[in-house]
Amino acid sequence: MTRPTMPNAYPPGDLAAPPVDEELVDALVAAGISVDVTARARADHGRDWWPLLLRDVHEGRVPFWPAVVARPATTDDVVATLRVARERGVAVTAQGGRSGVVGGAAAPDGSIALDMTGMDRVVAVDEVAGTVRVEAGVFGPDLEAAVRERGFTVGHFPQSFDLSTVGGWLACRGAGQYSNRYGKVEDIVRGLRVVLASGEVVDLGGRGPRQAVGPDLVGLMVGSEGALGVITEATLVLRRVPQSEARAAYGFGSFAEGLDACRRVLQRDARPAVLRLYDQVESRRSFAQDTCLLIVLDEGDEAFVAATLGVVAAECGGADRLDDALVATWLAHRNDVGALAPLWEGGVVVDTLEVAAPWSALEPMRVTVVAALEALPDTIVASVHQSHAYVDGACLYFTFAGRPAGDPTPYYRAAWDAATREVLAAGGALSHHHGVGRNRARFLDAALGGGADVLRTLKEALDPDHLLNPGVLGLGGEAW
Amino acid sequence: MTRPTMPNAYPPGDLAAPPVDEELVDALVAAGISVDVTARARADHGRDWWPLLLRDVHEGRVPFWPAVVARPATTDDVVATLRVARERGVAVTAQGGRSGVVGGAAAPDGSIALDMTGMDRVVAVDEVAGTVRVEAGVFGPDLEAAVRERGFTVGHFPQSFDLSTVGGWLACRGAGQYSNRYGKVEDIVRGLRVVLASGEVVDLGGRGPRQAVGPDLVGLMVGSEGALGVITEATLVLRRVPQSEARAAYGFGSFAEGLDACRRVLQRDARPAVLRLYDQVESRRSFAQDTCLLIVLDEGDEAFVAATLGVVAAECGGADRLDDALVATWLAHRNDVGALAPLWEGGVVVDTLEVAAPWSALEPMRVTVVAALEALPDTIVASVHQSHAYVDGACLYFTFAGRPAGDPTPYYRAAWDAATREVLAAGGALSHHHGVGRNRARFLDAALGGGADVLRTLKEALDPDHLLNPGVLGLGGEAW
């Protein structure tokens, strides 16, 4: 299947690539691995959708030069690639659609870029249990089409749906836009096949919905961003294609009032698939609304959808009921992922940060984060929406834009520093679904405390030679 | 608070304890730890509710003699105890109510039995987020009472509710009887404080409902059965005390028909808090019913309870509607945990095994497991019920009883071997909520495959001296 390209592309013409490591390439070829050593392939695999790189790419600067792009067709090919990597001390970065936005999917200088998108088979569907076994490199639309024709949905619809793979979702602990109902990918996965740095192939989980057989080894690999193992297959739970859908839209006088309504909805155990609350800046910009817009969409069995919308209506009693067509507006634009590139190319620095926190921390956090971003002299605008909600908290999704003179990096870094400091001070988590990658690695100790020590211990135990995606999660190499 | 005692007790009179390790005791006392070296305390902490031990205890044989019972009052006390343990190379077994049924909570010979039940404070309740911070040694009723008075429930009601602690629930990945609605304990926990074997105190998770900040470090400790760290505090999510409840009971002509109805209910996204299906043996024995009884109970917001019972009624259209009073019968007897002891004391070997599997595997697994148990010459009866259900599978809870001549161990072991072989062959998980402990350690490689290698790697990394609960999960020592 043809895939959309990156939101920007290197300019036409030659890219001045470092020399090819012929011995490495020969070793991979001898191991039966399909490889690509063209300058353009290497450059393409040396970046992902980390916004900081967008202007670099537009201006022909290649952020990282992996030594070679390797294209495994099977788990055995991954094993063979890792054997070559171990023997030669070369790093390996597993990649799917490279739509990651924090630098974690960009293969670093001199590494093997392990392009998993050739492993894209839907292996098996269990129609009774409602599960699918799939290779890691399958893209969202192909997986969804394969299960839809049997009456199922995975229910995982990230903004990057068209451009991202199952392996990428899992490696980054991704969330779809309907995750209130279907769960984040860690709720959807049931089992994994993983190749460890040692070359051992291990099957984790996969024997039913729940186990009490030691620690959660699936959860050890989900979110490991390619630094603890290479995910080659996964078993995911399916849901029936929904029979019913309902929509609603409300306007709140303040973000705090809207947040509190969302909290009450969730704490009455309603789980509308979509429950998104926009601040005034975003309500105006994206929906031409003057109040804080709440978008509601639920789908599923009719009785539950009706009960859910009933709870929402009851808890939004103090808000204005707006036109349901606003939900259609959101649906029409929800996967517009290419909007940032022209801004960066035009000199505007723009990015988003998505962070989860308990309900009690959200409104104070919103205020301090937005204020910290606005306090930076180069900031044009800072805004926020609530994107994913749970019984005990939610995800706030901040957007900032600035127009610094010259090199964008200092402003970009300062904005992340300022916002993240306030997130952590308020008790929020460093990321809700984009992951850590390279961009956030410097905050890991502040965010995890002693947990960062545990993470480093795991890294040393599972990948003592730091072969796997060094730099991401602050593990095994420099982040940036 | 007074706690119920073990279902049986050592006979009165002196127990012939091995000599006290005075140097170890002195070192603990010097570190400020409260200790108990009486023979009865040591004997009590050398066993849990593993049925194999019941007759031993009744006849005055002490399964394990820990060197000393240490009673920490704070996390610092746990740190100090582990320091003494490291310095002297003595094992440490963290214990709560010791209601575990697979031997994992029995402190082995010569170890420090770390009795956590003195750490029983409810530290803080966040009424907006709906979370509670609690020490690991608090018992179920005390925790539930503390949050009920603020309008909340934890919703975790294991059969051992009166006798088990938060730390025990977490260490064993426990499930309550209402877990279809409230989740297993891994769904309820949000954060942990853990003392590692190194003595480092780490706070894991705890920054909101979800993170994408590397692997799930909370899930690394949940289910680790005291072998990777000592849990001293936890943050749990709360739910509002339910406003509405509804009950129903149905009778099915076969277990397979009942299971299929359960599957359809769950796959329409209904989540009745209780949905328990009994085979004919258990329906007769416990409820005097001739068909396969399905017990249904839901609670929560009225609209969702009504929708849930509506889905159940629709999917049970082919079954007999029975008297709702059968639900009350179940409620009245659901925590009868002392029934096994008199049987064992009378020479009957009886135990249960609870295993999760995908819906597609459950009925074949039921047939082969029951047949394998019945095929053993000493078996009197084998039966099963479905106890916890999910969209993609459920937990089958088998009971077997036999009357071997002489030593009960060979029959007991043969029954577990035979049943477990069929569970694993059918694609089921080794345990759903009782854990592995000592009893199931021998099956770990067969159940986890390469995952067992990963688990051993984690053990070596986090507890290289095998101080923490050696033997459980097949880690760091002999199981039995």
Side-chain angles (χ1 to χ4, degrees), chain B residues 83-155:
Chain B
R83 179 175 52 72
V84 171
R86 276 197 313 281
E87 287 168 359
R88 308 185 63 82
V90 175
V92 176
T93 293
Q95 303 175 315
R98 285 168 290 134
S99 62
V101 294
V102 287
D109 286 336
S111 68
I112 299 170
L114 190 70
D115 178 354
M116 297 296 294
T117 61
M119 292 186 64
D120 63 351
R121 287 188 312 140
V122 175
V123 178
V125 174
D126 179 339
E127 298 200 20
V128 176
T131 56
V132 61
R133 181 81 181 168
V134 65
E135 289 184 332
V138 69
F139 281 86
D142 296 343
L143 172 59
E144 191 66 15
V147 302
R148 283 260 166 179
E149 69 184 24
R150 295 159 184 254
F152 293 101
T153 177
V154 178

Side-chain angles (χ1 to χ4, degrees), chain B residues 13-234:
Chain B
D14 286 344
L15 293 163
V20 170
D21 179 343
E22 300 290 354
E23 287 188 21
L24 173 63
V25 172
D26 288 349
L28 288 168
V29 170
I33 310 303
S34 171
V35 298
D36 190 336
V37 293
T38 61
R40 198 152 287 270
R42 289 167 64 195
D44 270 342
H45 287 264
R47 52 137 176 174
D48 59 10
W49 286 44
W50 185 10
L52 185 61
L53 308 183
L54 291 177
R55 193 148 74 182
D56 283 346
V57 171
H58 179 65
E59 296 174 1
R61 289 186 301 274
V62 176
F64 300 105
W65 281 106
V68 56
V69 179
R71 300 212 160 96
T74 63
T75 295
D76 285 346
D77 283 352
V78 175
V79 172
T81 304
L82 289 186
R83 179 175 52 72
V84 171
R86 276 197 313 281
E87 287 168 359
R88 308 185 63 82
V90 175
V92 176
T93 293
Q95 303 175 315
R98 285 168 290 134
S99 62
V101 294
V102 287
D109 286 336
S111 68
I112 299 170
L114 190 70
D115 178 354
M116 297 296 294
T117 61
M119 292 186 64
D120 63 351
R121 287 188 312 140
V122 175
V123 178
V125 174
D126 179 339
E127 298 200 20
V128 176
T131 56
V132 61
R133 181 81 181 168
V134 65
E135 289 184 332
V138 69
F139 281 86
D142 296 343
L143 172 59
E144 191 66 15
V147 302
R148 283 260 166 179
E149 69 184 24
R150 295 159 184 254
F152 293 101
T153 177
V154 178
H156 188 75
F157 307 112
Q159 192 178 28
S160 63
F161 182 66
D162 292 332
L163 337 144
S164 58
T165 63
V166 169
W169 303 343
L170 290 162
C172 300
R173 289 193 166 260
Q177 290 158 337
Y178 286 36
S179 75
N180 295 350
R181 172 166 158 70
Y182 297 103
K184 283 187 70 194
V185 76
E186 62 260 39
D187 305 304
I188 294 170
V189 66
R190 288 294 183 272
L192 296 178
R193 178 164 293 169
V194 176
V195 184
L196 303 177
S198 66
E200 189 183 0
V201 178
V202 295
D203 284 311
L204 307 175
R207 286 179 167 272
R210 279 289 187 277
Q211 297 199 18
V213 189
D216 180 7
L217 299 178
V218 171
L220 178 70
M221 290 296 164
V222 174
S224 67
E225 302 193 6
L228 300 182
V230 176
I231 297 167
T232 64
E233 286 188 28

Side-chain angles (χ1 to χ4, degrees), chain A residues 156-177:
Chain A
H156 187 75
F157 307 111
Q159 191 178 29
S160 64
F161 182 66
D162 292 332
L163 335 145
S164 59
T165 63
V166 169
W169 302 344
L170 290 162
C172 300
R173 289 193 168 260
Q177 290 158 336

Side-chain angles (χ1 to χ4, degrees), chain A residues 63 113 118 192 270-271 280 284 392 445:
Chain A
L192 295 178
R271 302 276 176 278
Q280 277 181 313
R284 284 198 190 108
D392 54 324
D445 280 274

